[in-house]
Amino acid sequence: MNSADITTVKSILSQPQKIAIIPHRNPDGDAMGSCLALYGFLKAKGHTVFVIAPNDYPKFLKWMPGNDTVINFERENPKAKEIIDGASVIFTLDFNDLSRVGQMEPVLQEAKADFIMIDHHQQPSDYAKVTYSDVTMSSTCEMVYNFIDFLGETDQIDADMATNLYTGIMTDTGSFKYRSTSSKTHRVVAELIDKGADNMEIHREVFDTNSPSRLHLLGVALSNMVILPEYRTAYITLTQEELDQYNFNKGDTEGFVNYGLTLEGIIFALIFIENREEGIIKISLRSVGDFSVNEFAREHFNGGGHTNAAGGRSETSMEETISKFYDILKTYKDKLNP
């Protein structure tokens, strides 16, 4: 954030505000961690604050401090709309285009509030009064820590805020293994541990609370993996029938795509997941090195994200989607084998 933006934010927050904090649709650990941490910080400053999630999110995030205050837009639609309509400030966290909130989009577009964006994805839109965008950051949670630091108030971060920020940084960095994990990230994490984040317990809550059905579904996913060594690529498919067979719950496929990158020589991994209710194939893309899955997803599958982690979607059948993917992949052989 530049000095003008910091001054603007300080001015806005200098008097009590009605604030809504919004993550993207299908929020992950970074989205919920940043929203709940900011919620705690702003509430302690005397503002009236609500976190409104566009839809539900995985069970392995629902232990987080403040989770019981979150409003689900799909389930509590009239209440959520009333809060947004009455908000004087709306923070949008971990996304940079209003299309990322699904059916909430028209409600946010009509809102009269001042928008403040905090996000680390590429190509931000210009809807916000204050935009804090930095694609080099490990996570939006690290940016929320910086945001509080810009205001000179890191001494106000308590154990609950630290726990939520640590969770988002940990999940969005792949437990601190991705390239975006900087020395500054580790210094922030150290501060959060000092402020009360229990790193071992947080890791256990997120990663060690699997159901048997999720592990069985992982077995199916790995058995479905297709390896294309000539393209240094591996992909997984999961049909609706396979999801139903193992009692799929939101978040159960989190991290499955990364298994492809554990194979020697593979630099591009994808998972194609059928969602019959929405009529789409949801696609998660990961890479290592300089191959940009953000560009790949934006160009071919109506998506985007980061250089090494992105998402997309297809509105055709699984068979047609995979066929299209093969046709596209042929044109990337040189980029995948530089």
mmCIF file of all heavy atoms in Angstrom, residues 261-298:
data_model
loop_
_atom_site.group_PDB
_atom_site.id
_atom_site.type_symbol
_atom_site.label_atom_id
_atom_site.label_comp_id
_atom_site.label_asym_id
_atom_site.label_seq_id
_atom_site.Cartn_x
_atom_site.Cartn_y
_atom_site.Cartn_z
ATOM 1 N N LEU A 261 2.398 -33.526 -9.016
ATOM 2 C CA LEU A 261 3.704 -32.865 -9.003
ATOM 3 C C LEU A 261 4.727 -33.603 -8.151
ATOM 4 O O LEU A 261 5.905 -33.236 -8.155
ATOM 5 C CB LEU A 261 3.557 -31.425 -8.497
ATOM 6 C CG LEU A 261 2.764 -30.472 -9.397
ATOM 7 C CD1 LEU A 261 2.728 -29.084 -8.782
ATOM 8 C CD2 LEU A 261 3.338 -30.419 -10.809
ATOM 9 N N THR A 262 4.285 -34.620 -7.413
ATOM 10 C CA THR A 262 5.254 -35.420 -6.655
ATOM 11 C C THR A 262 5.957 -36.444 -7.537
ATOM 12 O O THR A 262 6.908 -37.095 -7.092
ATOM 13 C CB THR A 262 4.581 -36.150 -5.474
ATOM 14 O OG1 THR A 262 3.692 -37.159 -5.978
ATOM 15 C CG2 THR A 262 3.813 -35.176 -4.586
ATOM 16 N N LEU A 263 5.503 -36.601 -8.774
ATOM 17 C CA LEU A 263 6.122 -37.545 -9.705
ATOM 18 C C LEU A 263 7.380 -36.938 -10.321
ATOM 19 O O LEU A 263 7.388 -35.777 -10.734
ATOM 20 C CB LEU A 263 5.142 -37.901 -10.829
ATOM 21 C CG LEU A 263 3.900 -38.687 -10.406
ATOM 22 C CD1 LEU A 263 2.865 -38.671 -11.530
ATOM 23 C CD2 LEU A 263 4.280 -40.126 -10.060
ATOM 24 N N GLU A 264 8.418 -37.705 -10.390
ATOM 25 C CA GLU A 264 9.669 -37.231 -10.978
ATOM 26 C C GLU A 264 9.449 -36.827 -12.437
ATOM 27 O O GLU A 264 8.852 -37.563 -13.224
ATOM 28 C CB GLU A 264 10.744 -38.322 -10.896
ATOM 29 C CG GLU A 264 12.107 -37.875 -11.391
ATOM 30 C CD GLU A 264 13.168 -38.942 -11.230
ATOM 31 O OE1 GLU A 264 12.823 -40.081 -10.831
ATOM 32 O OE2 GLU A 264 14.344 -38.637 -11.512
ATOM 33 N N GLY A 265 9.911 -35.624 -12.777
ATOM 34 C CA GLY A 265 9.832 -35.153 -14.153
ATOM 35 C C GLY A 265 8.546 -34.437 -14.508
ATOM 36 O O GLY A 265 8.445 -33.846 -15.593
ATOM 37 N N ILE A 266 7.544 -34.449 -13.627
ATOM 38 C CA ILE A 266 6.262 -33.798 -13.916
ATOM 39 C C ILE A 266 6.294 -32.346 -13.426
ATOM 40 O O ILE A 266 6.651 -32.079 -12.275
ATOM 41 C CB ILE A 266 5.100 -34.552 -13.248
ATOM 42 C CG1 ILE A 266 4.995 -35.968 -13.814
ATOM 43 C CG2 ILE A 266 3.783 -33.798 -13.443
ATOM 44 C CD1 ILE A 266 4.739 -36.050 -15.306
ATOM 45 N N ILE A 267 5.918 -31.424 -14.319
ATOM 46 C CA ILE A 267 5.899 -30.011 -13.933
ATOM 47 C C ILE A 267 4.510 -29.383 -14.069
ATOM 48 O O ILE A 267 4.315 -28.229 -13.689
ATOM 49 C CB ILE A 267 6.906 -29.191 -14.767
ATOM 50 C CG1 ILE A 267 6.496 -29.153 -16.250
ATOM 51 C CG2 ILE A 267 8.322 -29.726 -14.609
ATOM 52 C CD1 ILE A 267 7.282 -28.118 -17.063
ATOM 53 N N PHE A 268 3.540 -30.138 -14.595
ATOM 54 C CA PHE A 268 2.188 -29.614 -14.824
ATOM 55 C C PHE A 268 1.200 -30.674 -14.359
ATOM 56 O O PHE A 268 1.250 -31.828 -14.815
ATOM 57 C CB PHE A 268 2.009 -29.316 -16.313
ATOM 58 C CG PHE A 268 0.695 -28.674 -16.706
ATOM 59 C CD1 PHE A 268 -0.068 -27.935 -15.821
ATOM 60 C CD2 PHE A 268 0.228 -28.793 -18.013
ATOM 61 C CE1 PHE A 268 -1.253 -27.340 -16.196
ATOM 62 C CE2 PHE A 268 -0.963 -28.192 -18.415
ATOM 63 C CZ PHE A 268 -1.696 -27.472 -17.506
ATOM 64 N N ALA A 269 0.327 -30.293 -13.414
ATOM 65 C CA ALA A 269 -0.649 -31.237 -12.880
ATOM 66 C C ALA A 269 -2.026 -30.593 -12.857
ATOM 67 O O ALA A 269 -2.164 -29.395 -12.599
ATOM 68 C CB ALA A 269 -0.250 -31.678 -11.477
ATOM 69 N N LEU A 270 -3.043 -31.402 -13.112
ATOM 70 C CA LEU A 270 -4.415 -30.913 -13.131
ATOM 71 C C LEU A 270 -5.332 -31.952 -12.502
ATOM 72 O O LEU A 270 -5.013 -33.146 -12.474
ATOM 73 C CB LEU A 270 -4.920 -30.654 -14.559
ATOM 74 C CG LEU A 270 -4.080 -29.812 -15.499
ATOM 75 C CD1 LEU A 270 -3.108 -30.683 -16.265
ATOM 76 C CD2 LEU A 270 -4.968 -29.049 -16.478
ATOM 77 N N ILE A 271 -6.479 -31.486 -12.021
ATOM 78 C CA ILE A 271 -7.561 -32.384 -11.635
ATOM 79 C C ILE A 271 -8.854 -31.835 -12.229
ATOM 80 O O ILE A 271 -9.112 -30.619 -12.189
ATOM 81 C CB ILE A 271 -7.666 -32.559 -10.110
ATOM 82 C CG1 ILE A 271 -8.707 -33.626 -9.765
ATOM 83 C CG2 ILE A 271 -7.964 -31.256 -9.396
ATOM 84 C CD1 ILE A 271 -8.660 -34.083 -8.315
ATOM 85 N N PHE A 272 -9.629 -32.732 -12.834
ATOM 86 C CA PHE A 272 -10.913 -32.400 -13.442
ATOM 87 C C PHE A 272 -12.004 -33.059 -12.599
ATOM 88 O O PHE A 272 -12.032 -34.288 -12.483
ATOM 89 C CB PHE A 272 -10.993 -32.919 -14.876
ATOM 90 C CG PHE A 272 -9.952 -32.351 -15.806
ATOM 91 C CD1 PHE A 272 -8.686 -32.921 -15.884
ATOM 92 C CD2 PHE A 272 -10.240 -31.258 -16.608
ATOM 93 C CE1 PHE A 272 -7.728 -32.412 -16.759
ATOM 94 C CE2 PHE A 272 -9.288 -30.743 -17.481
ATOM 95 C CZ PHE A 272 -8.032 -31.313 -17.550
ATOM 96 N N ILE A 273 -12.878 -32.255 -12.000
ATOM 97 C CA ILE A 273 -13.897 -32.767 -11.085
ATOM 98 C C ILE A 273 -15.277 -32.397 -11.604
ATOM 99 O O ILE A 273 -15.593 -31.211 -11.774
ATOM 100 C CB ILE A 273 -13.694 -32.202 -9.665
ATOM 101 C CG1 ILE A 273 -12.297 -32.544 -9.147
ATOM 102 C CG2 ILE A 273 -14.763 -32.752 -8.718
ATOM 103 C CD1 ILE A 273 -11.949 -31.858 -7.837
ATOM 104 N N GLU A 274 -16.102 -33.396 -11.827
ATOM 105 C CA GLU A 274 -17.446 -33.155 -12.334
ATOM 106 C C GLU A 274 -18.356 -32.631 -11.226
ATOM 107 O O GLU A 274 -18.377 -33.164 -10.115
ATOM 108 C CB GLU A 274 -18.026 -34.451 -12.901
ATOM 109 C CG GLU A 274 -19.392 -34.274 -13.551
ATOM 110 C CD GLU A 274 -19.931 -35.559 -14.148
ATOM 111 O OE1 GLU A 274 -19.415 -36.648 -13.814
ATOM 112 O OE2 GLU A 274 -20.880 -35.468 -14.942
ATOM 113 N N ASN A 275 -19.097 -31.579 -11.539
ATOM 114 C CA ASN A 275 -20.119 -31.049 -10.641
ATOM 115 C C ASN A 275 -21.417 -30.992 -11.433
ATOM 116 O O ASN A 275 -21.673 -30.037 -12.169
ATOM 117 C CB ASN A 275 -19.736 -29.660 -10.132
ATOM 118 C CG ASN A 275 -20.725 -29.118 -9.110
ATOM 119 O OD1 ASN A 275 -21.927 -29.342 -9.208
ATOM 120 N ND2 ASN A 275 -20.212 -28.403 -8.116
ATOM 121 N N ARG A 276 -22.204 -32.043 -11.302
ATOM 122 C CA ARG A 276 -23.411 -32.160 -12.119
ATOM 123 C C ARG A 276 -24.446 -31.111 -11.739
ATOM 124 O O ARG A 276 -25.204 -30.626 -12.603
ATOM 125 C CB ARG A 276 -23.990 -33.564 -11.968
ATOM 126 C CG ARG A 276 -25.007 -33.932 -13.026
ATOM 127 C CD ARG A 276 -25.274 -35.419 -13.030
ATOM 128 N NE ARG A 276 -24.121 -36.181 -13.499
ATOM 129 C CZ ARG A 276 -23.959 -37.479 -13.282
ATOM 130 N NH1 ARG A 276 -24.852 -38.155 -12.581
ATOM 131 N NH2 ARG A 276 -22.896 -38.103 -13.756
ATOM 132 N N GLU A 277 -24.496 -30.732 -10.459
ATOM 133 C CA GLU A 277 -25.477 -29.744 -10.014
ATOM 134 C C GLU A 277 -25.254 -28.407 -10.711
ATOM 135 O O GLU A 277 -26.211 -27.744 -11.136
ATOM 136 C CB GLU A 277 -25.381 -29.556 -8.501
ATOM 137 C CG GLU A 277 -26.379 -28.561 -7.948
ATOM 138 C CD GLU A 277 -26.260 -28.381 -6.442
ATOM 139 O OE1 GLU A 277 -25.491 -29.125 -5.803
ATOM 140 O OE2 GLU A 277 -26.935 -27.483 -5.911
ATOM 141 N N GLU A 278 -23.989 -27.991 -10.855
ATOM 142 C CA GLU A 278 -23.679 -26.729 -11.522
ATOM 143 C C GLU A 278 -23.491 -26.893 -13.024
ATOM 144 O O GLU A 278 -23.370 -25.898 -13.745
ATOM 145 C CB GLU A 278 -22.419 -26.100 -10.908
ATOM 146 C CG GLU A 278 -22.580 -25.693 -9.457
ATOM 147 C CD GLU A 278 -21.363 -24.970 -8.909
ATOM 148 O OE1 GLU A 278 -20.590 -24.403 -9.715
ATOM 149 O OE2 GLU A 278 -21.180 -24.963 -7.690
ATOM 150 N N GLY A 279 -23.442 -28.129 -13.498
ATOM 151 C CA GLY A 279 -23.275 -28.383 -14.920
ATOM 152 C C GLY A 279 -21.896 -28.023 -15.443
ATOM 153 O O GLY A 279 -21.750 -27.598 -16.593
ATOM 154 N N ILE A 280 -20.880 -28.214 -14.607
ATOM 155 C CA ILE A 280 -19.512 -27.857 -15.008
ATOM 156 C C ILE A 280 -18.524 -28.958 -14.632
ATOM 157 O O ILE A 280 -18.830 -29.844 -13.839
ATOM 158 C CB ILE A 280 -19.035 -26.544 -14.344
ATOM 159 C CG1 ILE A 280 -18.954 -26.701 -12.816
ATOM 160 C CG2 ILE A 280 -19.933 -25.385 -14.728
ATOM 161 C CD1 ILE A 280 -18.245 -25.561 -12.116
ATOM 162 N N ILE A 281 -17.358 -28.862 -15.240
ATOM 163 C CA ILE A 281 -16.192 -29.602 -14.788
ATOM 164 C C ILE A 281 -15.276 -28.576 -14.131
ATOM 165 O O ILE A 281 -14.803 -27.640 -14.791
ATOM 166 C CB ILE A 281 -15.455 -30.294 -15.965
ATOM 167 C CG1 ILE A 281 -16.408 -31.178 -16.773
ATOM 168 C CG2 ILE A 281 -14.260 -31.090 -15.432
ATOM 169 C CD1 ILE A 281 -16.998 -32.337 -16.014
ATOM 170 N N LYS A 282 -15.062 -28.719 -12.853
ATOM 171 C CA LYS A 282 -14.164 -27.815 -12.131
ATOM 172 C C LYS A 282 -12.731 -28.284 -12.333
ATOM 173 O O LYS A 282 -12.431 -29.480 -12.221
ATOM 174 C CB LYS A 282 -14.499 -27.797 -10.636
ATOM 175 C CG LYS A 282 -13.635 -26.862 -9.824
ATOM 176 C CD LYS A 282 -13.971 -26.956 -8.334
ATOM 177 C CE LYS A 282 -13.019 -26.117 -7.513
ATOM 178 N NZ LYS A 282 -13.266 -26.266 -6.059
ATOM 179 N N ILE A 283 -11.845 -27.357 -12.637
ATOM 180 C CA ILE A 283 -10.458 -27.704 -12.958
ATOM 181 C C ILE A 283 -9.517 -26.963 -12.018
ATOM 182 O O ILE A 283 -9.617 -25.739 -11.868
ATOM 183 C CB ILE A 283 -10.119 -27.335 -14.416
ATOM 184 C CG1 ILE A 283 -11.160 -27.915 -15.381
ATOM 185 C CG2 ILE A 283 -8.713 -27.828 -14.785
ATOM 186 C CD1 ILE A 283 -11.081 -27.345 -16.785
ATOM 187 N N SER A 284 -8.610 -27.694 -11.389
ATOM 188 C CA SER A 284 -7.523 -27.094 -10.613
ATOM 189 C C SER A 284 -6.221 -27.407 -11.326
ATOM 190 O O SER A 284 -6.009 -28.540 -11.782
ATOM 191 C CB SER A 284 -7.487 -27.646 -9.191
ATOM 192 O OG SER A 284 -8.609 -27.227 -8.462
ATOM 193 N N LEU A 285 -5.359 -26.405 -11.433
ATOM 194 C CA LEU A 285 -4.097 -26.543 -12.173
ATOM 195 C C LEU A 285 -2.935 -26.132 -11.283
ATOM 196 O O LEU A 285 -3.016 -25.134 -10.562
ATOM 197 C CB LEU A 285 -4.104 -25.661 -13.428
ATOM 198 C CG LEU A 285 -5.292 -25.751 -14.375
ATOM 199 C CD1 LEU A 285 -6.408 -24.781 -13.958
ATOM 200 C CD2 LEU A 285 -4.875 -25.442 -15.813
ATOM 201 N N ARG A 286 -1.844 -26.888 -11.338
ATOM 202 C CA ARG A 286 -0.636 -26.578 -10.578
ATOM 203 C C ARG A 286 0.575 -26.798 -11.478
ATOM 204 O O ARG A 286 0.545 -27.615 -12.396
ATOM 205 C CB ARG A 286 -0.511 -27.473 -9.335
ATOM 206 C CG ARG A 286 -1.660 -27.364 -8.353
ATOM 207 C CD ARG A 286 -1.672 -26.039 -7.639
ATOM 208 N NE ARG A 286 -2.698 -25.975 -6.615
ATOM 209 C CZ ARG A 286 -3.944 -25.570 -6.811
ATOM 210 N NH1 ARG A 286 -4.315 -25.184 -8.038
ATOM 211 N NH2 ARG A 286 -4.813 -25.528 -5.815
ATOM 212 N N SER A 287 1.652 -26.063 -11.186
ATOM 213 C CA SER A 287 2.881 -26.244 -11.953
ATOM 214 C C SER A 287 4.075 -25.928 -11.073
ATOM 215 O O SER A 287 3.938 -25.368 -9.975
ATOM 216 C CB SER A 287 2.895 -25.331 -13.192
ATOM 217 O OG SER A 287 2.978 -23.967 -12.817
ATOM 218 N N VAL A 288 5.235 -26.296 -11.548
ATOM 219 C CA VAL A 288 6.483 -25.878 -10.928
ATOM 220 C C VAL A 288 7.314 -25.178 -11.996
ATOM 221 O O VAL A 288 7.142 -25.415 -13.195
ATOM 222 C CB VAL A 288 7.266 -27.066 -10.323
ATOM 223 C CG1 VAL A 288 6.505 -27.668 -9.160
ATOM 224 C CG2 VAL A 288 7.548 -28.129 -11.380
ATOM 225 N N GLY A 289 8.187 -24.294 -11.545
ATOM 226 C CA GLY A 289 9.019 -23.581 -12.514
ATOM 227 C C GLY A 289 8.284 -22.427 -13.149
ATOM 228 O O GLY A 289 7.406 -21.801 -12.557
ATOM 229 N N ASP A 290 8.610 -22.151 -14.414
ATOM 230 C CA ASP A 290 8.104 -20.962 -15.102
ATOM 231 C C ASP A 290 6.840 -21.203 -15.920
ATOM 232 O O ASP A 290 6.318 -20.269 -16.526
ATOM 233 C CB ASP A 290 9.194 -20.404 -16.027
ATOM 234 C CG ASP A 290 10.418 -19.936 -15.267
ATOM 235 O OD1 ASP A 290 10.252 -19.466 -14.123
ATOM 236 O OD2 ASP A 290 11.539 -20.064 -15.806
ATOM 237 N N PHE A 291 6.348 -22.442 -15.958
ATOM 238 C CA PHE A 291 5.138 -22.685 -16.747
ATOM 239 C C PHE A 291 3.936 -22.076 -16.029
ATOM 240 O O PHE A 291 3.614 -22.451 -14.901
ATOM 241 C CB PHE A 291 4.914 -24.178 -16.973
ATOM 242 C CG PHE A 291 3.725 -24.465 -17.855
ATOM 243 C CD1 PHE A 291 3.797 -24.230 -19.220
ATOM 244 C CD2 PHE A 291 2.539 -24.933 -17.319
ATOM 245 C CE1 PHE A 291 2.704 -24.472 -20.040
ATOM 246 C CE2 PHE A 291 1.441 -25.182 -18.119
ATOM 247 C CZ PHE A 291 1.521 -24.946 -19.493
ATOM 248 N N SER A 292 3.249 -21.132 -16.684
ATOM 249 C CA SER A 292 2.174 -20.372 -16.047
ATOM 250 C C SER A 292 0.818 -21.042 -16.235
ATOM 251 O O SER A 292 0.247 -21.019 -17.336
ATOM 252 C CB SER A 292 2.114 -18.950 -16.612
ATOM 253 O OG SER A 292 0.999 -18.259 -16.076
ATOM 254 N N VAL A 293 0.316 -21.618 -15.155
ATOM 255 C CA VAL A 293 -1.033 -22.183 -15.221
ATOM 256 C C VAL A 293 -2.080 -21.072 -15.168
ATOM 257 O O VAL A 293 -3.223 -21.274 -15.593
ATOM 258 C CB VAL A 293 -1.271 -23.215 -14.099
ATOM 259 C CG1 VAL A 293 -0.432 -24.455 -14.336
ATOM 260 C CG2 VAL A 293 -1.000 -22.632 -12.726
ATOM 261 N N ASN A 294 -1.696 -19.893 -14.668
ATOM 262 C CA ASN A 294 -2.604 -18.746 -14.724
ATOM 263 C C ASN A 294 -2.934 -18.415 -16.175
ATOM 264 O O ASN A 294 -4.107 -18.264 -16.546
ATOM 265 C CB ASN A 294 -1.968 -17.538 -14.029
ATOM 266 C CG ASN A 294 -2.763 -16.266 -14.238
ATOM 267 O OD1 ASN A 294 -3.929 -16.172 -13.867
ATOM 268 N ND2 ASN A 294 -2.146 -15.277 -14.870
ATOM 269 N N GLU A 295 -1.913 -18.321 -17.005
ATOM 270 C CA GLU A 295 -2.139 -18.015 -18.420
ATOM 271 C C GLU A 295 -2.894 -19.146 -19.113
ATOM 272 O O GLU A 295 -3.792 -18.902 -19.929
ATOM 273 C CB GLU A 295 -0.799 -17.766 -19.114
ATOM 274 C CG GLU A 295 -0.094 -16.501 -18.649
ATOM 275 C CD GLU A 295 1.238 -16.285 -19.337
ATOM 276 O OE1 GLU A 295 1.539 -17.032 -20.297
ATOM 277 O OE2 GLU A 295 1.996 -15.385 -18.918
ATOM 278 N N PHE A 296 -2.553 -20.386 -18.780
ATOM 279 C CA PHE A 296 -3.215 -21.547 -19.384
ATOM 280 C C PHE A 296 -4.708 -21.536 -19.048
ATOM 281 O O PHE A 296 -5.563 -21.714 -19.929
ATOM 282 C CB PHE A 296 -2.561 -22.830 -18.872
ATOM 283 C CG PHE A 296 -2.981 -24.077 -19.606
ATOM 284 C CD1 PHE A 296 -2.206 -24.580 -20.645
ATOM 285 C CD2 PHE A 296 -4.137 -24.754 -19.249
ATOM 286 C CE1 PHE A 296 -2.586 -25.737 -21.315
ATOM 287 C CE2 PHE A 296 -4.527 -25.906 -19.911
ATOM 288 C CZ PHE A 296 -3.748 -26.404 -20.952
ATOM 289 N N ALA A 297 -5.033 -21.305 -17.767
ATOM 290 C CA ALA A 297 -6.428 -21.315 -17.344
ATOM 291 C C ALA A 297 -7.200 -20.143 -17.935
ATOM 292 O O ALA A 297 -8.355 -20.289 -18.369
ATOM 293 C CB ALA A 297 -6.501 -21.283 -15.817
ATOM 294 N N ARG A 298 -6.588 -18.974 -17.976
ATOM 295 C CA ARG A 298 -7.263 -17.796 -18.533
ATOM 296 C C ARG A 298 -7.522 -17.961 -20.031
ATOM 297 O O ARG A 298 -8.581 -17.575 -20.541
ATOM 298 C CB ARG A 298 -6.420 -16.538 -18.291
ATOM 299 C CG ARG A 298 -6.465 -16.015 -16.871
ATOM 300 C CD ARG A 298 -5.680 -14.721 -16.714
ATOM 301 N NE ARG A 298 -5.700 -14.262 -15.340
ATOM 302 C CZ ARG A 298 -6.656 -13.528 -14.803
ATOM 303 N NH1 ARG A 298 -7.683 -13.149 -15.549
ATOM 304 N NH2 ARG A 298 -6.601 -13.154 -13.544
#
